[in-house]
Amino acid sequence: MILKSAYAIDVSDGILQLEKKDSLWEALGIPLKEPMIVAFTGGGGKTTSMYCLADELSAQGKRVIVTTSTHILRPTDRIVTEAGDWKAVSDFITSHKEFFPLAGWVLVTGLPAEEGKLKGMELSELERLTLLCDVLLVEADGAKRLPIKIPKINEPVLPGGTHAVIGCMGLNCIGEPWEEMCFRYELTPQVFDGQKKNGRITPSDAAKILTSADGTRKGVESMEYRILINKADDKRRLSSAQAVADAMGKQWAKYTAVTSFIEMDQN
């Protein structure tokens, strides 16, 4: 997948409008510090967005490690080292210097898991990966490939020292049934004042989950928080993104980005 379009939300005269940006990093507007841990949580688009950000940062000359505190699919088109601690990753980098210049690279790591996946190493070891890179990107949540999610008590799994959290949602959930599109939809009462939601997901529903401390914003505390609305693939979806942004309100506008991706040409 490659980035087709990225938007920030501009507020002008109290009106929220999508403003096209040149990159996902620009749309997110996260202050850069080194080293830095950025965690991806929530629903649809976490993995695609994470690799997009990794490539953008490496193009800026940053050394980027991608990993997970839960599980991710093991990529087939990237440099991967299966490792259970930071020292094993360090040794891999040292012994493969042809892949790792002084600046501008991406490495994926984690422990081998079932079904072609990687699972996270112990958090104490994961956190030490910042000794080896400028930016550590961590997929810190799972949603069974569903576009929106409500976390249970021990989710997400945020590493200590996380600087920024990017909460994701796929626009394909809007207008669709809760039980088909929301992971752990039975937990809706924790976000909606004790009410169990049913019927179809509205833009206001999505906005509530994305901004709630019991929803996608869970565990963020004093960290930088960004909302990433994915799958804005056509005019109808862009309109839905606008509706979600309007429902969140201008206080969240500067913290929100919208994307669409396209399949890479394999020829």
Side-chain angles (χ1 to χ4, degrees), residues 9-19 242 250 253:
I9 308 293
D10 178 61
V11 181
S12 180
D13 296 326
I15 299 173
L16 278 59
Q17 294 182 321
L18 275 66
E19 181 179 24
Q242 179 74 56
K250 61 183 180 182

Side-chain angles (χ1 to χ4, degrees), residues 147-184:
I148 196 164
K149 173 183 178 174
I150 298 172
K152 64 180 182 180
I153 191 168
N154 60 342
E155 297 172 325
V157 185
L158 298 174
T162 297
H163 173 67
V165 175
I166 300 173
C168 299
M169 183 202 79
L171 284 165
N172 53 317
C173 71
I174 302 298
E176 299 298 327
W178 280 97
E179 62 271 21
E180 293 180 12
M181 290 292 175
C182 180
F183 188 48
R184 306 201 199 287

Side-chain angles (χ1 to χ4, degrees), residues 94-108:
T94 300
S95 61
H96 294 80
K97 290 185 177 179
E98 67 274 19
F99 298 135
F100 304 105
L102 293 178
W105 49 259
V106 177
L107 172 63
V108 182

Side-chain angles (χ1 to χ4, degrees), residues 21-33:
K21 298 294 184 181
D22 292 331
S23 67
L24 175 56
W25 180 251
E26 182 186 5
L28 289 166
I30 300 172
L32 182 64
K33 58 177 285 188

